[in-house]
Amino acid sequence: MKSYILPEFKIKRDNERCIECQVCVRQCAFEVHKVSQDGSIYSENDKCVACERCVTFCPTKALTIEEYEHYIKDNANWTASVQRNIWKQAETGGVLLTGMGNPKPYPIYWDHLLLNASQVTNPSIDPLREPMELRTYLGSKPESLEVEISGGSVRLKTKVSPQLKLEVPIMFSAMSFGAISYNACEALARAATELGTYCNTGEGGLHEKLYKYADHTIVQVASGRFGVHKKYLEKAAALEIKIGQGAKPGIGGHLPGEKVGEEVSRTRMIPVGSDALSPAPHHDIYSIEDLSQLIYSLKEATEYTKPVSVKIAAVHNVAAISSGIARAGADIIAIDGFRGGTGAAPTVIRDNVGIPVELAIAAVDSRLREEGIRNRVSIVAAGGFRSSADVIKAIALGADAVYIATAALVAMGCHVCQKCYTGKCNWGIATQDPKLSKRLNPDIAAERLYNLVAAWAHEISEMLGGMGINAIESLKGNRLHLRAVGLTKEEMDVLGVKVAGAPLS
Amino acid sequence: MIIDATGLHYKELNERIRKAIRGGARKLKVLGVNGQRFIADGLEGNVFITVEGVPGNDLGAFMKGPTVVVRGNGQDHVANTMDEGKIVVHGSAGDVLGYGMRGGKLFIKGDAGYRVGIHMKQYKGKVPVIIIGGKVGDFFGEYMAGGILLVLGLNTGYSKNGQIAGNFLATGMHGGTIFLRGKVEKYQLGREVAVFEPEEKDWKLIEKLVKEFSNDMGLSAEKILKGKFIKIVPVSHRPYGNLYAY
């Protein structure tokens, strides 16, 4: 069948600058750049995904990628991308697949919330000279604390549930070995260890070589139970039951057989080349009671030494669901908003299902407070955190900490081309091709991750100090430090914030 | 060593079992079990546990090594994500047995409920096995990715068409093998599978498994092996390979 699909991008090669070194040819796994018989280099536009690998590595900066200009008669509904998708489906009959988070221009509530700062009264604190505490603990907190004082020493009598100690309120969100390369997994584990925070294995098991980072690893138990065994549960600081993911609420995951090579096969404990299917539901969980059973099954298996988290996608009824999860015995609830990323998801699901995490955090925090059970669980927010400002706003809305993943990938080199599902990631991240994954040096990638989070931590300290607060836990759920611009009354009600300029009471 | 479970909450009972094992006990008898959950959950090593009564859900979940013999019925989620070891139930058991099981054996003398043997996986030498003496409910072997399921249809008073499994049999199956000592109609099957006559090597396996099962249950293997067996296997290990537009 003749394809009607036109290229999305156009490669512009400045022949004045090009030295025909063929770096671009070698760098592109999509085989965009080719050498012709006479030795000159040409590019096939239709294969380009705009990952910018060739542009970045061209030693003479001879390449630029531009949008392919083909005239589509001006139309607000039937845009070039809408037409392209229809042609793709008309030519294949397939479900449109994509990667990374929702790119549509839905409102980003972070950009409508402004932080407070101290002026004159309650003076701001200078974090360069004064202690600033970003440490926080995740896990179930007791209703009250009983202490015993004898002979000048104080002893805690209340038995406190196991807690995760975070030196920064930022963790690396679930990305499986399979979706991302071993080198990317190692970089995340090393950076998490150095930062005093945690990385999350996703549902792809834990490679044996990463067991040494166990104290900074959260392992996931998902519907497919890939690589879940006694050792896996032991080599973790916490366990996370994955119910849903922000990029694809209500549906499961299919890791295509192409990505299941020898190492992934061993870690997931499935044969080489077979599809790894994680269906939408855990077929043993149909109720809060069933969820509770899995939570306690994991607690029994690990003798109540590790907190158990339950990760859900932010959906319309997220507050009531979270209340159920808290009552089911979870120590942590991870809420993944609709801008959360993925290695592969149907485009229509990613772009149309779920709700923004900003609204979800506020709704869940409010609901749990109203019910008097907020202390029973920590809230971890995920889904498209772009900067330290987003993080601190999430904490002010009521989150205990956040998960970042897309930002972490970008730090390692990802250019958000959204082709993770092809396994041809030129940046060596979302691939299992040994030649490609070798491009990601774990030393450098770990350093870049460390730098990013350390920089965000410093910015958070500055913003906290500006508010006259010296501990991140004092900001948690303190929504008076947020004011809204350009939001409706209903939106502000859900967020629990006042409009900028409104008096305190 | 004998542990009396009468009146104990599961948390206390399981703590006592773990303590006994830590103290060196290798043979345990747990009496008066009445619905306590998570027995042998996450237990490791060469331990033999006899359970008198009806254990609650998630018996032997995440278990790696021990043998558990139940003198009574089992409930739901027996052998959930079990890794190694063996569970023998001298009665019937409930739903979702052997979910995500990746090794070891689960033998049920009587009938089993819905969604038995789903998401089972195998990797190299590690092949989980479930044998059901009676019949099973719907969604048997759903999403099965590896391992062996065997249903013997004993004492079920064979329905007139000889069906011993329910509907949606092997839906989404993409690995492993199911053997039934009985018949299956096309409408019962997921579209990812096909029915075959067992081959020579299958017979050897069936014989070996039936003998072990009969030995554990005190039944006659010879009599069971006289029945007619069928084999159900997936037609593709990538059932959804063509679902997407790249």
Side-chain angles (χ1 to χ4, degrees), chain A residues 95 223-226 228 230 254 265 275 279 283 286 293 297 300, chain B residues 41-42 57-58 77 80-81 99 102 115 119 121 238 243-245:
Chain A
V95 171
S223 65
R225 303 282 159 86
F226 294 108
V228 180
K230 194 70 207 301
H254 294 174
S265 149
D275 275 354
H283 286 123
Y286 287 87
Q293 189 181 310
S297 179
E300 279 281 335
Chain B
D41 184 353
N57 294 355
D58 267 331
H77 301 187
N80 182 357
T81 327
Y99 185 114
R102 57 184 65 263
R115 295 187 195 272
H119 289 293
K121 313 264 185 294
R238 302 207 47 202
L243 190 62
Y244 303 106

PDB file of all heavy atoms in Angstrom, chain A residues 95 223-226 228 230 254 265 275 279 283 286 293 297 300, chain B residues 41-42 57-58 77 80-81 99 102 115 119 121 238 243-245:
ATOM      1  N   VAL A  95      -3.134   0.033  16.913  1.00  0.00           N
ATOM      2  CA  VAL A  95      -3.304   1.003  17.984  1.00  0.00           C
ATOM      3  C   VAL A  95      -2.083   1.924  17.959  1.00  0.00           C
ATOM      4  O   VAL A  95      -0.954   1.446  17.932  1.00  0.00           O
ATOM      5  CB  VAL A  95      -3.379   0.270  19.347  1.00  0.00           C
ATOM      6  CG1 VAL A  95      -3.324   1.249  20.510  1.00  0.00           C
ATOM      7  CG2 VAL A  95      -4.632  -0.590  19.419  1.00  0.00           C
ATOM      8  N   SER A 223       1.281  -6.472  38.246  1.00  0.00           N
ATOM      9  CA  SER A 223       0.374  -7.573  37.893  1.00  0.00           C
ATOM     10  C   SER A 223       1.095  -8.747  37.246  1.00  0.00           C
ATOM     11  O   SER A 223       0.698  -9.888  37.403  1.00  0.00           O
ATOM     12  CB  SER A 223      -0.736  -7.068  36.978  1.00  0.00           C
ATOM     13  OG  SER A 223      -0.190  -6.652  35.748  1.00  0.00           O
ATOM     14  N   GLY A 224       2.176  -8.466  36.510  1.00  0.00           N
ATOM     15  CA  GLY A 224       2.892  -9.557  35.843  1.00  0.00           C
ATOM     16  C   GLY A 224       3.861 -10.287  36.766  1.00  0.00           C
ATOM     17  O   GLY A 224       4.345 -11.354  36.421  1.00  0.00           O
ATOM     18  N   ARG A 225       4.145  -9.685  37.923  1.00  0.00           N
ATOM     19  CA  ARG A 225       5.059 -10.270  38.909  1.00  0.00           C
ATOM     20  C   ARG A 225       6.416 -10.657  38.307  1.00  0.00           C
ATOM     21  O   ARG A 225       6.998 -11.680  38.689  1.00  0.00           O
ATOM     22  CB  ARG A 225       4.450 -11.517  39.572  1.00  0.00           C
ATOM     23  CG  ARG A 225       3.139 -11.298  40.241  1.00  0.00           C
ATOM     24  CD  ARG A 225       3.300 -10.612  41.591  1.00  0.00           C
ATOM     25  NE  ARG A 225       2.065  -9.974  41.997  1.00  0.00           N
ATOM     26  CZ  ARG A 225       1.086 -10.581  42.650  1.00  0.00           C
ATOM     27  NH1 ARG A 225       1.216 -11.812  43.014  1.00  0.00           N
ATOM     28  NH2 ARG A 225       0.002  -9.925  42.957  1.00  0.00           N
ATOM     29  N   PHE A 226       6.906  -9.850  37.366  1.00  0.00           N
ATOM     30  CA  PHE A 226       8.174 -10.185  36.727  1.00  0.00           C
ATOM     31  C   PHE A 226       9.328 -10.052  37.712  1.00  0.00           C
ATOM     32  O   PHE A 226       9.457  -9.031  38.378  1.00  0.00           O
ATOM     33  CB  PHE A 226       8.431  -9.296  35.515  1.00  0.00           C
ATOM     34  CG  PHE A 226       7.443  -9.531  34.429  1.00  0.00           C
ATOM     35  CD1 PHE A 226       6.470  -8.610  34.148  1.00  0.00           C
ATOM     36  CD2 PHE A 226       7.473 -10.711  33.709  1.00  0.00           C
ATOM     37  CE1 PHE A 226       5.532  -8.849  33.160  1.00  0.00           C
ATOM     38  CE2 PHE A 226       6.545 -10.958  32.721  1.00  0.00           C
ATOM     39  CZ  PHE A 226       5.569 -10.020  32.456  1.00  0.00           C
ATOM     40  N   VAL A 228       9.826 -11.192  40.533  1.00  0.00           N
ATOM     41  CA  VAL A 228       9.491 -11.072  41.958  1.00  0.00           C
ATOM     42  C   VAL A 228       9.790 -12.398  42.647  1.00  0.00           C
ATOM     43  O   VAL A 228       9.204 -13.414  42.300  1.00  0.00           O
ATOM     44  CB  VAL A 228       8.012 -10.702  42.172  1.00  0.00           C
ATOM     45  CG1 VAL A 228       7.703 -10.591  43.660  1.00  0.00           C
ATOM     46  CG2 VAL A 228       7.684  -9.398  41.469  1.00  0.00           C
ATOM     47  N   LYS A 230      11.900 -14.058  46.529  1.00  0.00           N
ATOM     48  CA  LYS A 230      12.287 -13.729  47.906  1.00  0.00           C
ATOM     49  C   LYS A 230      13.461 -12.754  47.962  1.00  0.00           C
ATOM     50  O   LYS A 230      13.441 -11.766  48.681  1.00  0.00           O
ATOM     51  CB  LYS A 230      12.629 -15.032  48.645  1.00  0.00           C
ATOM     52  CG  LYS A 230      12.716 -14.886  50.148  1.00  0.00           C
ATOM     53  CD  LYS A 230      11.357 -14.632  50.790  1.00  0.00           C
ATOM     54  CE  LYS A 230      11.414 -13.873  52.106  1.00  0.00           C
ATOM     55  NZ  LYS A 230      12.176 -14.483  53.145  1.00  0.00           N
ATOM     56  N   HIS A 254       2.833  -3.842  27.848  1.00  0.00           N
ATOM     57  CA  HIS A 254       3.385  -4.924  27.036  1.00  0.00           C
ATOM     58  C   HIS A 254       4.822  -4.574  26.702  1.00  0.00           C
ATOM     59  O   HIS A 254       5.060  -3.644  25.940  1.00  0.00           O
ATOM     60  CB  HIS A 254       2.629  -5.071  25.711  1.00  0.00           C
ATOM     61  CG  HIS A 254       1.215  -5.514  25.886  1.00  0.00           C
ATOM     62  ND1 HIS A 254       0.336  -5.578  24.831  1.00  0.00           N
ATOM     63  CD2 HIS A 254       0.536  -5.918  26.971  1.00  0.00           C
ATOM     64  CE1 HIS A 254      -0.842  -6.000  25.284  1.00  0.00           C
ATOM     65  NE2 HIS A 254      -0.734  -6.206  26.578  1.00  0.00           N
ATOM     66  N   SER A 265      15.742 -11.060  30.116  1.00  0.00           N
ATOM     67  CA  SER A 265      15.119 -12.364  30.319  1.00  0.00           C
ATOM     68  C   SER A 265      15.475 -12.926  31.686  1.00  0.00           C
ATOM     69  O   SER A 265      14.632 -13.409  32.427  1.00  0.00           O
ATOM     70  CB  SER A 265      15.580 -13.299  29.189  1.00  0.00           C
ATOM     71  OG  SER A 265      15.637 -14.627  29.623  1.00  0.00           O
ATOM     72  N   ASP A 275       7.000 -11.889  24.771  1.00  0.00           N
ATOM     73  CA  ASP A 275       6.384 -10.648  25.239  1.00  0.00           C
ATOM     74  C   ASP A 275       6.222 -10.716  26.747  1.00  0.00           C
ATOM     75  O   ASP A 275       5.883 -11.762  27.291  1.00  0.00           O
ATOM     76  CB  ASP A 275       4.984 -10.502  24.621  1.00  0.00           C
ATOM     77  CG  ASP A 275       5.042  -9.876  23.233  1.00  0.00           C
ATOM     78  OD1 ASP A 275       6.128  -9.467  22.813  1.00  0.00           O
ATOM     79  OD2 ASP A 275       3.985  -9.800  22.585  1.00  0.00           O
ATOM     80  N   PRO A 279      -0.961  -7.211  32.574  1.00  0.00           N
ATOM     81  CA  PRO A 279      -2.326  -6.736  32.317  1.00  0.00           C
ATOM     82  C   PRO A 279      -2.721  -5.608  33.262  1.00  0.00           C
ATOM     83  O   PRO A 279      -2.073  -5.398  34.288  1.00  0.00           O
ATOM     84  CB  PRO A 279      -3.179  -7.972  32.578  1.00  0.00           C
ATOM     85  CG  PRO A 279      -2.244  -9.103  32.660  1.00  0.00           C
ATOM     86  CD  PRO A 279      -0.925  -8.563  33.070  1.00  0.00           C
ATOM     87  N   HIS A 283      -4.934  -9.705  38.740  1.00  0.00           N
ATOM     88  CA  HIS A 283      -6.140 -10.531  38.722  1.00  0.00           C
ATOM     89  C   HIS A 283      -6.445 -11.155  40.069  1.00  0.00           C
ATOM     90  O   HIS A 283      -7.334 -11.978  40.194  1.00  0.00           O
ATOM     91  CB  HIS A 283      -6.029 -11.587  37.618  1.00  0.00           C
ATOM     92  CG  HIS A 283      -6.210 -10.986  36.262  1.00  0.00           C
ATOM     93  ND1 HIS A 283      -5.273 -11.092  35.266  1.00  0.00           N
ATOM     94  CD2 HIS A 283      -7.200 -10.238  35.763  1.00  0.00           C
ATOM     95  CE1 HIS A 283      -5.702 -10.434  34.205  1.00  0.00           C
ATOM     96  NE2 HIS A 283      -6.853  -9.912  34.474  1.00  0.00           N
ATOM     97  N   TYR A 286      -9.483  -7.287  43.386  1.00  0.00           N
ATOM     98  CA  TYR A 286     -10.746  -6.759  42.885  1.00  0.00           C
ATOM     99  C   TYR A 286     -11.407  -5.834  43.897  1.00  0.00           C
ATOM    100  O   TYR A 286     -12.518  -5.381  43.696  1.00  0.00           O
ATOM    101  CB  TYR A 286     -11.699  -7.903  42.518  1.00  0.00           C
ATOM    102  CG  TYR A 286     -11.285  -8.602  41.247  1.00  0.00           C
ATOM    103  CD1 TYR A 286     -10.386  -9.650  41.268  1.00  0.00           C
ATOM    104  CD2 TYR A 286     -11.778  -8.168  40.018  1.00  0.00           C
ATOM    105  CE1 TYR A 286      -9.985 -10.270  40.104  1.00  0.00           C
ATOM    106  CE2 TYR A 286     -11.381  -8.777  38.845  1.00  0.00           C
ATOM    107  CZ  TYR A 286     -10.488  -9.826  38.894  1.00  0.00           C
ATOM    108  OH  TYR A 286     -10.085 -10.429  37.730  1.00  0.00           O
ATOM    109  N   GLN A 293      -4.868  -7.572  51.343  1.00  0.00           N
ATOM    110  CA  GLN A 293      -4.268  -8.901  51.449  1.00  0.00           C
ATOM    111  C   GLN A 293      -2.874  -8.933  50.834  1.00  0.00           C
ATOM    112  O   GLN A 293      -1.944  -9.501  51.393  1.00  0.00           O
ATOM    113  CB  GLN A 293      -5.167  -9.923  50.767  1.00  0.00           C
ATOM    114  CG  GLN A 293      -4.716 -11.343  51.019  1.00  0.00           C
ATOM    115  CD  GLN A 293      -5.607 -12.342  50.323  1.00  0.00           C
ATOM    116  OE1 GLN A 293      -6.826 -12.296  50.439  1.00  0.00           O
ATOM    117  NE2 GLN A 293      -5.015 -13.237  49.569  1.00  0.00           N
ATOM    118  N   SER A 297       0.487  -9.570  52.736  1.00  0.00           N
ATOM    119  CA  SER A 297       1.263 -10.711  52.264  1.00  0.00           C
ATOM    120  C   SER A 297       2.726 -10.299  52.100  1.00  0.00           C
ATOM    121  O   SER A 297       3.645 -11.028  52.480  1.00  0.00           O
ATOM    122  CB  SER A 297       0.681 -11.167  50.929  1.00  0.00           C
ATOM    123  OG  SER A 297       1.404 -12.235  50.428  1.00  0.00           O
ATOM    124  N   GLU A 300       4.209  -9.652  55.617  1.00  0.00           N
ATOM    125  CA  GLU A 300       4.540 -10.926  56.276  1.00  0.00           C
ATOM    126  C   GLU A 300       5.830 -11.502  55.688  1.00  0.00           C
ATOM    127  O   GLU A 300       6.693 -11.988  56.413  1.00  0.00           O
ATOM    128  CB  GLU A 300       3.395 -11.929  56.092  1.00  0.00           C
ATOM    129  CG  GLU A 300       2.234 -11.729  57.059  1.00  0.00           C
ATOM    130  CD  GLU A 300       2.504 -12.289  58.457  1.00  0.00           C
ATOM    131  OE1 GLU A 300       3.333 -13.205  58.587  1.00  0.00           O
ATOM    132  OE2 GLU A 300       1.883 -11.796  59.413  1.00  0.00           O
TER     133      GLU A 300
ATOM    134  N   ASP B  41       4.232 -17.808  54.336  1.00  0.00           N
ATOM    135  CA  ASP B  41       4.481 -16.677  53.431  1.00  0.00           C
ATOM    136  C   ASP B  41       5.963 -16.287  53.489  1.00  0.00           C
ATOM    137  O   ASP B  41       6.483 -15.978  54.554  1.00  0.00           O
ATOM    138  CB  ASP B  41       3.606 -15.497  53.895  1.00  0.00           C
ATOM    139  CG  ASP B  41       3.707 -14.286  52.983  1.00  0.00           C
ATOM    140  OD1 ASP B  41       4.550 -14.291  52.067  1.00  0.00           O
ATOM    141  OD2 ASP B  41       2.941 -13.342  53.192  1.00  0.00           O
ATOM    142  N   GLY B  42       6.618 -16.351  52.359  1.00  0.00           N
ATOM    143  CA  GLY B  42       8.025 -15.935  52.288  1.00  0.00           C
ATOM    144  C   GLY B  42       8.996 -16.860  53.008  1.00  0.00           C
ATOM    145  O   GLY B  42      10.162 -16.521  53.150  1.00  0.00           O
ATOM    146  N   ASN B  57      -6.211 -17.331  53.257  1.00  0.00           N
ATOM    147  CA  ASN B  57      -5.671 -16.925  51.949  1.00  0.00           C
ATOM    148  C   ASN B  57      -4.153 -16.779  51.969  1.00  0.00           C
ATOM    149  O   ASN B  57      -3.556 -16.572  53.009  1.00  0.00           O
ATOM    150  CB  ASN B  57      -6.275 -15.586  51.536  1.00  0.00           C
ATOM    151  CG  ASN B  57      -7.761 -15.686  51.281  1.00  0.00           C
ATOM    152  OD1 ASN B  57      -8.324 -16.775  51.320  1.00  0.00           O
ATOM    153  ND2 ASN B  57      -8.392 -14.565  51.022  1.00  0.00           N
ATOM    154  N   ASP B  58      -3.595 -16.845  50.755  1.00  0.00           N
ATOM    155  CA  ASP B  58      -2.154 -16.609  50.565  1.00  0.00           C
ATOM    156  C   ASP B  58      -1.260 -17.616  51.299  1.00  0.00           C
ATOM    157  O   ASP B  58      -0.172 -17.274  51.743  1.00  0.00           O
ATOM    158  CB  ASP B  58      -1.768 -15.177  50.986  1.00  0.00           C
ATOM    159  CG  ASP B  58      -1.806 -14.212  49.803  1.00  0.00           C
ATOM    160  OD1 ASP B  58      -1.572 -14.670  48.671  1.00  0.00           O
ATOM    161  OD2 ASP B  58      -2.066 -13.022  50.010  1.00  0.00           O
ATOM    162  N   HIS B  77      -5.803 -17.912  46.722  1.00  0.00           N
ATOM    163  CA  HIS B  77      -4.438 -17.395  46.552  1.00  0.00           C
ATOM    164  C   HIS B  77      -3.348 -18.308  47.130  1.00  0.00           C
ATOM    165  O   HIS B  77      -2.316 -17.812  47.567  1.00  0.00           O
ATOM    166  CB  HIS B  77      -4.295 -16.011  47.197  1.00  0.00           C
ATOM    167  CG  HIS B  77      -5.244 -15.003  46.618  1.00  0.00           C
ATOM    168  ND1 HIS B  77      -5.201 -13.682  46.945  1.00  0.00           N
ATOM    169  CD2 HIS B  77      -6.247 -15.122  45.741  1.00  0.00           C
ATOM    170  CE1 HIS B  77      -6.151 -13.046  46.292  1.00  0.00           C
ATOM    171  NE2 HIS B  77      -6.785 -13.904  45.562  1.00  0.00           N
ATOM    172  N   ASN B  80       0.702 -18.035  45.868  1.00  0.00           N
ATOM    173  CA  ASN B  80       0.824 -16.747  45.183  1.00  0.00           C
ATOM    174  C   ASN B  80       2.311 -16.405  44.980  1.00  0.00           C
ATOM    175  O   ASN B  80       3.074 -16.338  45.933  1.00  0.00           O
ATOM    176  CB  ASN B  80       0.139 -15.695  46.077  1.00  0.00           C
ATOM    177  CG  ASN B  80       0.145 -14.314  45.472  1.00  0.00           C
ATOM    178  OD1 ASN B  80       0.705 -14.087  44.404  1.00  0.00           O
ATOM    179  ND2 ASN B  80      -0.473 -13.383  46.166  1.00  0.00           N
ATOM    180  N   THR B  81       2.715 -16.223  43.705  1.00  0.00           N
ATOM    181  CA  THR B  81       4.101 -15.864  43.386  1.00  0.00           C
ATOM    182  C   THR B  81       5.114 -16.787  44.083  1.00  0.00           C
ATOM    183  O   THR B  81       6.192 -16.359  44.482  1.00  0.00           O
ATOM    184  CB  THR B  81       4.409 -14.380  43.738  1.00  0.00           C
ATOM    185  OG1 THR B  81       3.230 -13.598  43.529  1.00  0.00           O
ATOM    186  CG2 THR B  81       5.507 -13.803  42.871  1.00  0.00           C
ATOM    187  N   TYR B  99      -0.910 -17.763  41.461  1.00  0.00           N
ATOM    188  CA  TYR B  99      -0.767 -16.521  40.676  1.00  0.00           C
ATOM    189  C   TYR B  99       0.720 -16.184  40.512  1.00  0.00           C
ATOM    190  O   TYR B  99       1.471 -16.115  41.481  1.00  0.00           O
ATOM    191  CB  TYR B  99      -1.455 -15.381  41.416  1.00  0.00           C
ATOM    192  CG  TYR B  99      -1.502 -14.058  40.675  1.00  0.00           C
ATOM    193  CD1 TYR B  99      -2.704 -13.525  40.255  1.00  0.00           C
ATOM    194  CD2 TYR B  99      -0.342 -13.328  40.411  1.00  0.00           C
ATOM    195  CE1 TYR B  99      -2.751 -12.314  39.590  1.00  0.00           C
ATOM    196  CE2 TYR B  99      -0.384 -12.115  39.737  1.00  0.00           C
ATOM    197  CZ  TYR B  99      -1.593 -11.618  39.334  1.00  0.00           C
ATOM    198  OH  TYR B  99      -1.641 -10.418  38.677  1.00  0.00           O
ATOM    199  N   ARG B 102       6.439 -19.182  39.907  1.00  0.00           N
ATOM    200  CA  ARG B 102       7.572 -19.330  38.999  1.00  0.00           C
ATOM    201  C   ARG B 102       8.404 -20.559  39.268  1.00  0.00           C
ATOM    202  O   ARG B 102       9.444 -20.773  38.652  1.00  0.00           O
ATOM    203  CB  ARG B 102       8.452 -18.096  39.025  1.00  0.00           C
ATOM    204  CG  ARG B 102       8.974 -17.765  40.403  1.00  0.00           C
ATOM    205  CD  ARG B 102       9.750 -16.490  40.381  1.00  0.00           C
ATOM    206  NE  ARG B 102       8.908 -15.347  40.052  1.00  0.00           N
ATOM    207  CZ  ARG B 102       8.789 -14.826  38.861  1.00  0.00           C
ATOM    208  NH1 ARG B 102       9.437 -15.304  37.841  1.00  0.00           N
ATOM    209  NH2 ARG B 102       8.021 -13.799  38.665  1.00  0.00           N
ATOM    210  N   ARG B 115      -9.676 -18.600  37.944  1.00  0.00           N
ATOM    211  CA  ARG B 115      -8.363 -17.961  37.724  1.00  0.00           C
ATOM    212  C   ARG B 115      -7.209 -18.724  38.371  1.00  0.00           C
ATOM    213  O   ARG B 115      -6.355 -18.145  39.043  1.00  0.00           O
ATOM    214  CB  ARG B 115      -8.365 -16.519  38.241  1.00  0.00           C
ATOM    215  CG  ARG B 115      -9.315 -15.634  37.476  1.00  0.00           C
ATOM    216  CD  ARG B 115      -9.202 -14.183  37.864  1.00  0.00           C
ATOM    217  NE  ARG B 115     -10.345 -13.439  37.372  1.00  0.00           N
ATOM    218  CZ  ARG B 115     -10.425 -12.885  36.175  1.00  0.00           C
ATOM    219  NH1 ARG B 115      -9.421 -12.958  35.351  1.00  0.00           N
ATOM    220  NH2 ARG B 115     -11.497 -12.249  35.793  1.00  0.00           N
ATOM    221  N   HIS B 119      -0.835 -16.141  34.963  1.00  0.00           N
ATOM    222  CA  HIS B 119       0.460 -15.443  34.980  1.00  0.00           C
ATOM    223  C   HIS B 119       1.614 -16.325  35.393  1.00  0.00           C
ATOM    224  O   HIS B 119       2.624 -15.816  35.867  1.00  0.00           O
ATOM    225  CB  HIS B 119       0.434 -14.245  35.931  1.00  0.00           C
ATOM    226  CG  HIS B 119      -0.384 -13.127  35.430  1.00  0.00           C
ATOM    227  ND1 HIS B 119      -0.028 -12.410  34.328  1.00  0.00           N
ATOM    228  CD2 HIS B 119      -1.545 -12.613  35.861  1.00  0.00           C
ATOM    229  CE1 HIS B 119      -0.944 -11.504  34.117  1.00  0.00           C
ATOM    230  NE2 HIS B 119      -1.867 -11.612  35.017  1.00  0.00           N
ATOM    231  N   LYS B 121       4.979 -18.302  35.234  1.00  0.00           N
ATOM    232  CA  LYS B 121       6.157 -18.022  34.407  1.00  0.00           C
ATOM    233  C   LYS B 121       7.139 -19.167  34.527  1.00  0.00           C
ATOM    234  O   LYS B 121       7.167 -19.833  35.552  1.00  0.00           O
ATOM    235  CB  LYS B 121       6.890 -16.785  34.939  1.00  0.00           C
ATOM    236  CG  LYS B 121       6.033 -15.602  35.258  1.00  0.00           C
ATOM    237  CD  LYS B 121       6.009 -14.646  34.110  1.00  0.00           C
ATOM    238  CE  LYS B 121       5.246 -13.383  34.426  1.00  0.00           C
ATOM    239  NZ  LYS B 121       3.825 -13.569  34.650  1.00  0.00           N
ATOM    240  N   ARG B 238       3.979 -14.412  21.210  1.00  0.00           N
ATOM    241  CA  ARG B 238       3.791 -12.963  21.121  1.00  0.00           C
ATOM    242  C   ARG B 238       2.380 -12.680  20.630  1.00  0.00           C
ATOM    243  O   ARG B 238       2.196 -12.183  19.516  1.00  0.00           O
ATOM    244  CB  ARG B 238       4.817 -12.365  20.146  1.00  0.00           C
ATOM    245  CG  ARG B 238       6.266 -12.647  20.547  1.00  0.00           C
ATOM    246  CD  ARG B 238       7.174 -11.580  20.027  1.00  0.00           C
ATOM    247  NE  ARG B 238       6.601 -10.273  20.330  1.00  0.00           N
ATOM    248  CZ  ARG B 238       6.921  -9.175  19.664  1.00  0.00           C
ATOM    249  NH1 ARG B 238       7.787  -9.207  18.688  1.00  0.00           N
ATOM    250  NH2 ARG B 238       6.376  -8.026  19.991  1.00  0.00           N
ATOM    251  N   LEU B 243      -0.526  -5.734  17.419  1.00  0.00           N
ATOM    252  CA  LEU B 243      -1.608  -4.876  17.889  1.00  0.00           C
ATOM    253  C   LEU B 243      -1.361  -3.400  17.592  1.00  0.00           C
ATOM    254  O   LEU B 243      -2.286  -2.622  17.489  1.00  0.00           O
ATOM    255  CB  LEU B 243      -1.761  -5.089  19.401  1.00  0.00           C
ATOM    256  CG  LEU B 243      -2.954  -4.494  20.126  1.00  0.00           C
ATOM    257  CD1 LEU B 243      -4.245  -5.086  19.584  1.00  0.00           C
ATOM    258  CD2 LEU B 243      -2.851  -4.783  21.617  1.00  0.00           C
ATOM    259  N   TYR B 244      -0.094  -3.041  17.432  1.00  0.00           N
ATOM    260  CA  TYR B 244       0.231  -1.620  17.427  1.00  0.00           C
ATOM    261  C   TYR B 244       0.708  -1.078  16.076  1.00  0.00           C
ATOM    262  O   TYR B 244       1.266  -1.801  15.273  1.00  0.00           O
ATOM    263  CB  TYR B 244       1.329  -1.343  18.468  1.00  0.00           C
ATOM    264  CG  TYR B 244       0.933  -1.785  19.842  1.00  0.00           C
ATOM    265  CD1 TYR B 244       1.491  -2.922  20.420  1.00  0.00           C
ATOM    266  CD2 TYR B 244      -0.029  -1.080  20.555  1.00  0.00           C
ATOM    267  CE1 TYR B 244       1.109  -3.334  21.683  1.00  0.00           C
ATOM    268  CE2 TYR B 244      -0.426  -1.484  21.813  1.00  0.00           C
ATOM    269  CZ  TYR B 244       0.149  -2.614  22.375  1.00  0.00           C
ATOM    270  OH  TYR B 244      -0.231  -3.021  23.619  1.00  0.00           O
ATOM    271  N   ALA B 245       0.474   0.229  15.879  1.00  0.00           N
ATOM    272  CA  ALA B 245       1.001   0.944  14.721  1.00  0.00           C
ATOM    273  C   ALA B 245       2.248   1.671  15.187  1.00  0.00           C
ATOM    274  O   ALA B 245       2.168   2.521  16.062  1.00  0.00           O
ATOM    275  CB  ALA B 245      -0.027   1.945  14.226  1.00  0.00           C
TER     276      ALA B 245
END
